[in-house]
């Protein structure tokens, strides 16, 4: 017997807001399959408000309301039976974040959960990594967002430690005053939690590393080397913002944040002496879909 369920995830990040609609295909005696049906990404950069002014602007609040109304219509058209919307660091740190969430609920009927960094990491980590992870290896999972970077160390198939740092692409672009302290804290944490581990590899998550992987032309499942990523970082930095948009075809809201994102991944690799980074196509939206199914 075959059952197909439709679930949706709304990821309200610091650089963009995404709606992922997935089919969950359930067949007796087999593992469920998660197939993407639709993905919509809107470039509402909430972090540019929060990390500079500490508040979500009226303009972006209205854009969010419009986006949620549009997402609600799309979910109805797709016959989505269950959804979850999660907001991360930009909404979490905005002085009017909770007020904005309440206003969105009243005007659109879309309920938004405000999640902390550890919850975000746990949701992302719920995605299936079994094809990638080897039990005799150690990994540092690095998820780079607009407002924060979530780190998880695991070895022999078990989580060793995890932590969220206020280092994100939009935050770095806006010259956050605490960034030097955060860089030092992240370096210290990574070195402390990986120093006794051998053969550490990075698992990279986030839109920027996915874009870099796609640009590399590597087949799925293959890793990128530190040497390649470092060379690509140099290549990107040598280009102007306009060239990254016109010649590389990057979205306008990707062409600037891809530089600080790459720097975060490179530093993480350097601090745990990782020679390669794996880039599975997973993120918060995928984790939300998986947890909706597991909790149904």
């Amino acid at each position: 017997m075959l059952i197909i369920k439709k679930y949706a995830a709304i990821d309200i990040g610091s650089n963009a807001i995404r709606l992922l609609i997935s089919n969950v295909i359930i067949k007796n005696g087999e593992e469920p399959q998660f197939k993407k049906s639709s993905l919509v990404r809107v470039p509402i950069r909430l972090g540019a408000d929060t990390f500079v002014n500490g508040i979500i602007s009226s303009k972006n609040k209205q854009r969010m309301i419009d986006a949620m109304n549009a997402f609600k219509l799309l979910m109805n058209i797709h016959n989505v039976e269950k959804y979850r919307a999660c907001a991360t660091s930009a909404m979490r740190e905005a002085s009017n974040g909770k007020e904005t969430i309440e206003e969105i609920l009243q005007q659109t009927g879309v309920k938004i959960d405000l999640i902390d960094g550890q919850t975000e990491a746990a949701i992302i980590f719920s995605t299936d990594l079994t094809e990638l992870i080897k039990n005799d290896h150690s990994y540092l999972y690095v998820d780079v967002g607009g407002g924060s970077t979530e780190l998880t160390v695991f070895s022999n198939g078990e989580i060793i430690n995890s932590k969220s740092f206020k280092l994100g692409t939009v935050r770095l672009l806006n010259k956050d005053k605490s960034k030097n302290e955060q860089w030092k804290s992240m370096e210290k944490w990574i070195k402390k939690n990986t120093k006794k581990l051998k053969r550490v590899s990075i698992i990279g998550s986030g839109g920027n590393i996915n874009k870099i992987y796609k640009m590399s032309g590597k087949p799925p499942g293959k890793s990128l080397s530190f040497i390649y990523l470092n060379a690509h970082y140099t290549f990107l930095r040598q280009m102007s913002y306009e060239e990254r948009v016109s010649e590389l075809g990057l979205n306008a809201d990707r062409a600037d944040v891809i530089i600080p994102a790459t720097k975060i991944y490179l530093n993480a690799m350097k601090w745990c002496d990782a020679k390669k980074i794996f880039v599975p196509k997973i993120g918060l939206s995928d984790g939300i879909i998986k947890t909706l199914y597991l909790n149904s």
Side-chain angles (χ1 to χ4, degrees), residues 31-86:
E31 289 292 316
Q33 296 180 50
F34 297 84
K35 299 287 186 181
K36 181 176 75 174
S37 176
S38 176
L39 177 63
V40 180
R41 180 181 183 275
V42 289
I44 302 176
R45 188 169 280 184
L46 297 178
D49 284 344
T50 301
F51 307 140
V52 176
N53 302 314
I55 190 170
I56 294 168
S57 65
S58 298
K59 180 182 177 181
N60 273 341
K61 186 187 294 185
Q62 186 56 53
R63 292 175 74 201
M64 285 186 68
I65 290 169
D66 292 342
M68 292 307 125
N69 276 322
F71 287 177
K72 191 175 180 181
L73 285 172
L74 285 170
M75 289 191 290
N76 287 339
I77 292 166
H78 280 271
N79 290 318
V80 168
E81 60 182 86
K82 191 184 289 188
Y83 79 92
R84 187 183 183 191
C86 293

Side-chain angles (χ1 to χ4, degrees), residues 90-129:
M91 190 77 85
R92 198 163 61 225
E93 295 178 34
S95 60
N96 62 340
K98 291 182 179 179
E99 169 195 315
T100 300
I101 286 173
E102 185 59 35
E103 191 171 337
I104 289 171
L105 177 61
Q106 290 175 1
Q107 294 202 34
T108 70
V110 175
K111 179 181 177 293
I112 298 171
D113 295 330
L114 200 59
I115 61 171
D116 60 27
Q118 286 196 324
T119 302
E120 182 179 355
I123 292 172
I124 295 169
F125 201 74
S126 70
T127 53
D128 190 6
L129 293 173

Side-chain angles (χ1 to χ4, degrees), residues 64-219:
M64 285 186 68
I65 290 169
D66 292 342
M68 292 307 125
N69 276 322
F71 287 177
K72 191 175 180 181
L73 285 172
L74 285 170
M75 289 191 290
N76 287 339
I77 292 166
H78 280 271
N79 290 318
V80 168
E81 60 182 86
K82 191 184 289 188
Y83 79 92
R84 187 183 183 191
C86 293
T88 55
S89 57
M91 190 77 85
R92 198 163 61 225
E93 295 178 34
S95 60
N96 62 340
K98 291 182 179 179
E99 169 195 315
T100 300
I101 286 173
E102 185 59 35
E103 191 171 337
I104 289 171
L105 177 61
Q106 290 175 1
Q107 294 202 34
T108 70
V110 175
K111 179 181 177 293
I112 298 171
D113 295 330
L114 200 59
I115 61 171
D116 60 27
Q118 286 196 324
T119 302
E120 182 179 355
I123 292 172
I124 295 169
F125 201 74
S126 70
T127 53
D128 190 6
L129 293 173
T130 53
E131 292 182 6
L132 181 64
I133 297 170
K134 296 180 181 178
N135 285 334
D136 59 341
H137 283 56
S138 298
Y139 300 87
L140 173 62
Y141 187 96
V142 183
D143 178 62
V144 177
S148 63
T149 294
E150 320 302 331
L151 301 178
T152 302
V153 177
F154 55 101
S155 184
N156 299 321
E158 295 184 1
I159 293 176
I160 306 299
N161 205 351
S162 63
K163 192 172 177 63
S164 176
F165 291 88
K166 289 184 178 181
L167 272 177
T169 58
V170 178
R171 199 189 293 272
L172 289 173
L173 281 180
N174 286 285
K175 296 178 172 59
D176 187 283
K177 292 178 182 178
S178 65
K179 68 176 183 179
N180 289 335
E181 181 184 328
Q182 288 293 313
W183 278 121
K184 290 175 184 176
S185 295
M186 183 186 284
E187 179 181 3
K188 183 179 178 181
W189 189 91
I190 289 175
K191 287 181 175 179
K192 178 183 177 183
N193 285 277
T194 60
K195 66 179 181 180
K196 294 182 180 179
L197 304 176
K198 295 180 180 178
R199 292 188 295 175
V200 177
S201 296
I202 299 282
I203 297 176
S205 173
N208 289 293
I209 194 66
N210 284 332
K211 187 64 180 178
I212 291 169
Y213 192 84
K214 186 176 181 181
M215 291 167 69
S216 76
K218 289 264 188 177

